[in-house]
Amino acid sequence: MPTRRELANAVRALAMDAVEAAKSGHPGMPMGMADIAEVLWNDFLQFNPGNPGWFNRDRFVLSNGHGSMLQYALLHLSGYDLPIDELKHFRQLHSKTAGHPEYGHTPGAETTTGPLGQGLANAVGFALAEKILAARFNRPGHTIVDHHTYVFLGDGCLMEGISHEAASLAGTWKLGKLVAVYDDNGISIDGEVEGWFTDDTPARFEAYGWNVIRDVDGHDAEAVKKALAQATAQSERPTLICAKTIIGFGAPNKQGKEESHGAALGKDEIAAARVQLQWNHPPFEIPAEIYAGWNARDKGAARERAWDEAFAAYAAAHPELAAELKRRLAGELPQDWAEKSQAFVAKLQAEGPEVASRKASQMTLDAFGPLLPELLGGSADLAASNLTKWKGSLDAGNGNSADGKGNYVYYGVREFGMTAIANGLALHGGFVPYDATFMVFSDYARNAVRMSALIPAHTIHVYTHDSIGLGEDGPTHQPVEHMASLRLIPNNHVWRPCDAVESAVSWKAAIERKGAPSCLVFSRQALKHQQRDAQQLADIRRGGYVLSDPLDGKFQVILIGTGSEVELAMEASRVLAQQGVAARVVSMPCTDVFDEQPLEYREGVLPRWCRARVAVEAASTDFWAKYVGFDGEAIGMNTFGASAPAPQLFEHFGITVAHVVEAAKRVVG
C-alpha cells in the first residue's frame, strides 16, 4: 500500500514531466500543493470520476490556475477520462490539458481559471448556489442538496482586489461549506513576496468573518487532514486554511525559489528531484499500486448510487419539489415559458408604453420573474437606479430567506466580484443569474464578463445609464467606448433595445441563450414606442431588422440605429422624405445576433447595393465601420461626455435629427 507521500509524489512527477515535455508551464505550485491535494482528494472530496456532472458532488476550484498540472494530475490519477497521452501533450493544440484549467474542455474542471482571484469568486458563487438550493429544496429527513466547495489559491489571488470583494461577501453570507486553502509559499514570479505583500492574511480573513486555521504545515498530511476536518465540521462560516508550503517541493536546487514557479525545471533538476523524492520511475510512468491508491471510480459510483436512492425517496415524498429541482438542474425552462413570455412581448407592442428602457427592463422582470424561480439577480448597490429589483424580489444573501425562495442578491459596490460570483452561480446549475451596474462601470467588471463568454457561462449582465443620455453626472459616468468594448468580446451578445418591446425581447433572448452570456444595455431616459407589424416583432430576435421603409419600398439610404438613437433615425427618415430622399430605417438591438443570421437575411436588411448608409449611436463611432463601409458615415461620440441635461448634451455633441439628415444627404451624394 503506497504511503501518502508516494501518492503525492505521483502528482509531482507528472507535473515535472508534463511541463518539461511542453517546455512551458508552472511546476512549482503543483509540487508544493501535492500533499494537500492528496489528503483533500482521497479523504474529503466527494465526486464521481465516472460522471463528472453528478449534481451533489463537491466542487473543486483551482483559483491559482497557472498550476493547472496539479488538477490535470489529480483528474488523471483519480480516474477521470483524461488519459496519460493528454498529459504528455500538456499545453499543446487540441489537448485536453490546456495551459490553465478550462470548463467544458477538460472533464472535471468546474470553471475556467487563470486570471487570478476569479476562481475564488467563482467558488463563492458555487457555495452561495448550494446554500440557496439547500434552503429551497431540502426537507426534514431528505437532505439532497449537501456539498462543499473547495478552492485552492495563492498569493497572487490574494493580492488581486477581487479577493477582497469575494471574501467579504462570503463572510457576510456565512457560506460555511466554502473551504479555501491558501498556498502560503512566499514566492511569486518576481521572487520573495515579502517585498510587496506583507498583509496579515489570517487577520484579514478573520475580519471578514471567516473561520481561519493558521500555520498548517502543508507537507504534513495529518496536519492537513486535521485542518480539513475542522473546516468541514462547522457550517457557520467559510474557512481559510493557511498552509505553509515549499514551492517546487522535492527539486533540490530550485525548491523555495522563483525559478520553480513558471518554467520547466530542466532535465538535470528533474533527475535530482527524482532522487530526492525517491521516485524511481521513467517520465509519465505511474506504478499500478499508485494508480490503485488514487482510483476513485468505485467510491464515486457508490456515492452517486447512494444519492440516487436518497433522491428517489425524496421524489416519492415531495414529487413536485423533485420535479422542479430536476428541471432547473437540466437547464430547462418551464413548460409555459414560451407562451407566456411571448404574450408579454405582444402586450407591450399593443400598449406601447413610453418609458426608459431600464424601467421597461423592470416591467419585464415583473412579468418574467414569477415564471422563473431560477432567476437570481443582483446589483452593485444600484438597485434603485438599475431597477433590477422586481415585485417578487426577496433577499437571497443569507440563503435562508422566505424558506429558500430568495431571488435577489445585494452585492454592494463590488462590480468585479459580483460578476465573477454570478459566473459561479451559473456554472453550479439551478440558476439563471443576472448582475447589474451602470454601463460605465462595466469596466470594473470587464474581465469577469470576458470570462463568462470564454467559459462560457449563462450569465446575464445588466447595464443601465447607457450613454450621455444619463445627463448631469457627467463624463465620469457617461459611457463612450464601452459598447464597442463589450461587443468585441467573442461569444458575448450585447443588446441595446430602442423601446419597451425590444427590452422585453432582449431579456427573453438572454434567458433562452443556454450556456453563454448576454449584456443588456438600458437607458436612463424615456424612449418612444415604435410601431411594428407581426413580422417586425418576430424579427427583433434576429438582432437587426427593417423598422421602416418608404411606402413604395424603394430607398436611397439606410439609417441604422440602436437604443435611444432609433427614434432619431425614425424622425430623420420622415424629414428626409419631405426633402425627397427615401430612407430605410434599421433597428439593430444586437449586432452579435444579427451577424449570426444567414447571409440571405442580412442581405435583405442591409443589401450590398445600397452603400449609402448612416449609423447613429451615442457611443464610439469606430465600431460601425463594418456596417457603413467607406462610403457611409457614423454619428456618435469621439470624445468623452460632459455635465449637462441630456437634451443639451445630444445637441452639443451633434447627435441630432438634423445631423443625421445632413449625413444622409452627403452619403447619397
Side-chain angles (χ1 to χ4, degrees):
M1 181 70 180
T3 65
R4 284 194 181 277
R5 176 56 55 81
E6 288 170 334
L7 293 173
N9 284 345
V11 173
R12 294 186 171 101
L14 289 172
M16 291 190 300
D17 294 340
V19 172
E20 182 66 23
K23 302 300 182 187
S24 171
H26 299 74
M29 186 280 272
M31 296 174 74
M33 294 198 80
D35 294 309
I36 300 170
E38 187 277 321
V39 175
L40 173 63
W41 279 62
N42 283 324
D43 288 12
F44 290 89
L45 198 69
Q46 303 292 301
F47 63 101
N48 180 11
N51 180 15
W54 169 44
F55 165 67
N56 205 42
R57 68 193 181 279
D58 291 336
R59 270 61 170 180
F60 174 77
V61 177
L62 194 70
S63 190
N64 43 353
H66 54 271
S68 58
M69 265 311 304
L70 175 70
Q71 186 161 9
Y72 298 145
L74 294 167
L75 293 169
H76 168 73
L77 292 167
S78 59
Y80 283 84
D81 183 17
L82 195 67
I84 195 69
D85 280 349
E86 295 290 350
L87 276 64
K88 291 179 179 179
H89 292 92
F90 175 56
R91 290 190 163 213
Q92 304 307 301
L93 187 63
H94 304 312
S95 168
K96 292 183 179 180
T97 54
H100 293 80
E102 294 184 21
Y103 173 80
H105 189 68
T106 306
E110 300 286 359
T111 183
T112 300
T113 56
L116 293 174
Q118 288 199 59
L120 171 61
N122 293 166
V124 171
F126 284 131
L128 179 61
E130 192 275 344
K131 187 169 186 177
I132 297 173
L133 288 175
R136 176 70 184 96
F137 289 100
N138 287 349
R139 290 295 181 269
H142 298 281
T143 306
I144 45 94
V145 182
D146 182 18
H147 49 268
H148 284 78
T149 300
Y150 297 93
V151 55
F152 283 4
L153 51 90
D155 291 309
C157 294
L158 294 176
M159 284 187 256
E160 290 286 0
I162 191 174
S163 70
H164 161 73
E165 299 180 22
S168 175
L169 285 169
T172 298
W173 295 335
K174 296 180 170 58
L175 300 180
K177 290 184 178 177
L178 174 63
V179 180
V181 181
Y182 166 34
D183 179 28
D184 185 9
N185 61 35
I187 297 292
S188 67
I189 292 174
D190 282 350
E192 297 182 5
V193 301
E194 62 184 14
W196 49 87
F197 185 51
T198 59
D199 300 13
D200 187 342
T201 296
R204 172 186 163 193
F205 275 75
E206 286 169 348
Y208 293 142
W210 285 54
N211 170 44
V212 177
I213 304 173
R214 297 171 177 249
D215 299 320
V216 175
D217 183 348
H219 301 296
D220 182 337
E222 288 306 311
V224 172
K225 185 174 181 179
K226 180 180 178 182
L228 287 167
Q230 181 182 333
T232 54
Q234 60 86 46
S235 59
E236 294 302 312
R237 293 180 294 169
T239 295
L240 178 71
I241 297 173
C242 299
K244 294 287 185 179
T245 67
I246 300 172
I247 191 170
F249 181 92
N253 302 300
K254 294 187 177 183
Q255 66 179 17
K257 301 176 182 178
E258 63 268 25
E259 288 96 324
S260 69
H261 183 282
L265 297 178
K267 292 183 178 179
D268 292 343
E269 185 69 5
I270 290 175
R274 277 182 150 78
V275 173
Q276 180 156 313
L277 295 171
Q278 299 179 29
W279 185 262
N280 303 313
H281 311 289
F284 297 108
E285 185 174 303
I286 305 297
E289 61 271 20
I290 298 291
Y291 273 128
W294 273 104
N295 195 312
R297 292 184 71 88
D298 290 343
K299 284 192 301 183
R303 290 176 185 132
E304 185 170 354
R305 282 195 301 271
W307 185 82
D308 287 343
E309 293 171 2
F311 189 85
Y314 171 74
H318 305 282
E320 292 184 1
L321 282 174
E324 175 69 4
L325 180 59
K326 288 178 68 176
R327 179 190 70 78
R328 287 174 59 170
L329 295 180
E332 298 173 354
L333 294 170
Q335 288 186 348
D336 59 354
W337 161 257
E339 177 184 354
K340 290 185 176 179
S341 60
Q342 190 57 42
F344 177 71
V345 172
K347 178 174 179 288
L348 286 179
Q349 185 61 48
E351 295 178 352
E354 297 197 351
V355 296
S357 54
R358 63 170 177 158
K359 180 60 180 177
S361 168
Q362 187 179 51
M363 294 162 59
T364 302
L365 286 170
D366 282 336
F368 289 176
L371 305 177
L372 298 170
E374 59 265 51
L375 201 61
L376 180 63
S379 171
D381 200 46
L382 287 169
S385 295
N386 297 148
L387 301 184
T388 42
K389 287 180 66 178
W390 54 282
K391 293 176 182 178
S393 291
L394 296 169
D395 180 13
N398 62 16
N400 296 310
S401 63
D403 297 322
K405 295 180 182 178
N407 53 19
Y408 195 83
V409 181
Y410 294 89
Y411 286 104
V413 187
R414 302 179 179 94
E415 295 88 356
F416 193 7
M418 167 185 71
T419 309
I421 288 170
N423 288 341
L425 288 167
L427 291 171
H428 178 277
F431 294 101
V432 176
Y434 64 91
D435 51 71
T437 186
F438 286 167
M439 177 71 166
V440 76
F441 300 136
S442 65
D443 276 345
Y444 283 136
R446 191 180 188 280
N447 198 262
V449 177
R450 180 180 188 270
M451 291 303 295
S452 67
L454 174 63
I455 289 171
H458 187 192
T459 314
I460 301 172
H461 310 296
V462 177
Y463 300 124
T464 69
H465 297 60
D466 66 350
S467 72
I468 56 172
L470 66 89
E472 292 84 346
D473 274 339
T476 62
H477 282 52
Q478 292 165 1
V480 173
E481 74 280 16
H482 301 73
M483 207 85 66
S485 174
L486 291 170
R487 286 174 178 146
L488 289 174
I489 299 174
N491 197 37
N492 184 41
H493 285 181
V494 180
W495 289 85
R496 187 176 184 238
C498 77
D499 64 2
V501 177
E502 285 191 358
S503 298
V505 172
S506 69
W507 264 109
K508 191 173 187 298
I511 289 167
E512 293 174 358
R513 191 187 187 212
K514 292 185 178 181
S518 301
C519 295
L520 309 184
V521 181
F522 298 122
S523 72
R524 178 181 186 266
Q525 74 272 31
L527 305 180
K528 290 183 179 179
H529 172 70
Q530 301 298 331
Q531 294 297 324
R532 301 173 182 86
D533 60 27
Q535 187 59 56
Q536 289 171 317
L537 188 63
D539 285 344
I540 296 173
R541 282 293 301 271
R542 306 188 80 161
Y545 62 102
V546 177
L547 182 61
S548 173
D549 257 345
L551 291 177
D552 62 4
K554 299 178 180 179
F555 53 91
Q556 300 163 270
V557 62
I558 301 174
L559 309 180
I560 308 169
T562 78
S564 52
E565 288 69 68
V566 168
E567 61 189 65
L568 290 182
M570 288 292 289
E571 181 59 29
S573 72
R574 288 187 278 269
V575 173
L576 286 165
Q578 294 169 0
Q579 298 180 11
V581 179
R584 161 176 283 189
V585 177
V586 170
S587 177
M588 197 174 288
C590 187
T591 60
D592 310 282
V593 172
F594 179 76
D595 290 347
E596 294 171 358
Q597 301 305 306
L599 177 61
E600 181 181 5
Y601 178 80
R602 287 181 281 126
E603 177 70 14
V605 176
L606 298 176
R608 279 171 287 190
W609 64 260
C610 186
R611 297 163 66 93
R613 302 179 184 185
V614 176
V616 54
E617 183 177 61
S620 176
T621 58
D622 287 351
F623 172 82
W624 289 100
K626 70 175 182 176
Y627 296 103
V628 301
F630 291 114
D631 299 319
E633 291 190 21
I635 294 174
M637 296 293 295
N638 293 300
T639 67
F640 293 115
S643 297
Q648 293 180 25
L649 291 173
F650 279 98
E651 183 71 31
H652 175 73
F653 288 106
I655 306 174
T656 64
V657 171
H659 282 84
V660 175
V661 169
E662 291 170 7
K665 289 180 177 179
R666 283 195 298 271
V667 299
V668 169

